[in-house]
């Protein structure tokens, strides 16, 4: 299970909306499946069908996560024209087996759906998202 606040989910949806028509991507940091920090990343491909995080930015964020004592708990990206399920390319490029891959699908009108997956050695398993409402 990946636990994330509704305000962080809204930040992710906002990022996905602002990136249109291209895919958005980012990193989720925290502990034991609990998201504590969302990092918006630059899609170096600037593509509606593929994402690749800017490598210098990714290195900087991963170093910051390590130095602040957090863990990489997830990676998110949007699908601009397909469902919230890993594509064959997503599965092939899933380099972090410990991470939950959060995929956001949109309808092009600022309506989004998020789903989570573990991807380990080509096997995709859905992971429930526990979205905590603001108090």
């Amino acid at each position: 299970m990946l636990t994330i606040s509704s305000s962080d989910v809204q930040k992710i949806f906002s990022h996905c909306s602002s990136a249109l028509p291209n895919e958005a991507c980012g990193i989720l940091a925290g502990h034991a499946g609990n998201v504590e920090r969302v990092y918006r990343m630059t899609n170096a491909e600037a593509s509606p069908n593929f994402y690749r995080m800017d490598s210098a930015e990714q290195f900087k964020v991963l170093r910051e996560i390590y130095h602040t004592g957090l863990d990489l708990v997830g990676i998110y990206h949007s699908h601009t024209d397909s469902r919230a399920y890993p594509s064959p390319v997503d599965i092939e490029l899933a380099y972090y087996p410990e991470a939950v891959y959060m995929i956001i699908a949109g309808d092009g009108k600022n309506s989004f759906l998020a789903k989570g997956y573990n991807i380990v050695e080509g096997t995709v398993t859905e992971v429930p998202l526990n979205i905590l409402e603001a108090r």
Side-chain angles (χ1 to χ4, degrees), residues 70-118:
L70 297 174
D71 299 314
L72 170 71
V73 295
I75 295 172
Y76 73 86
H77 78 278
S78 58
H79 282 180
T80 60
D81 63 356
S82 64
R83 63 191 181 116
Y85 189 82
S87 70
V89 173
D90 294 337
I91 295 167
E92 180 183 338
L93 299 178
Y95 298 125
Y96 298 96
E98 72 280 12
V100 172
Y101 287 85
M102 187 173 172
I103 300 177
I104 297 88
D107 67 0
K109 300 175 186 171
N110 293 326
S111 178
F112 297 97
L113 169 69
K115 291 195 170 194
Y117 302 92
N118 278 122

Side-chain angles (χ1 to χ4, degrees), residues 30-78:
H31 292 103
N34 295 301
V35 176
E36 298 177 29
R37 195 169 296 162
V38 174
Y39 293 91
R40 290 172 61 138
M41 303 296 289
T42 301
N43 179 353
E45 293 296 318
S47 167
N49 302 312
F50 184 73
Y51 82 96
R52 181 179 52 82
M53 292 181 193
D54 176 85
S55 58
E57 189 177 50
Q58 183 178 7
F59 178 76
K60 178 183 172 192
V61 166
L62 292 175
R63 188 173 56 202
E64 179 180 321
I65 289 169
Y66 173 78
H67 287 301
T68 57
L70 297 174
D71 299 314
L72 170 71
V73 295
I75 295 172
Y76 73 86
H77 78 278
S78 58

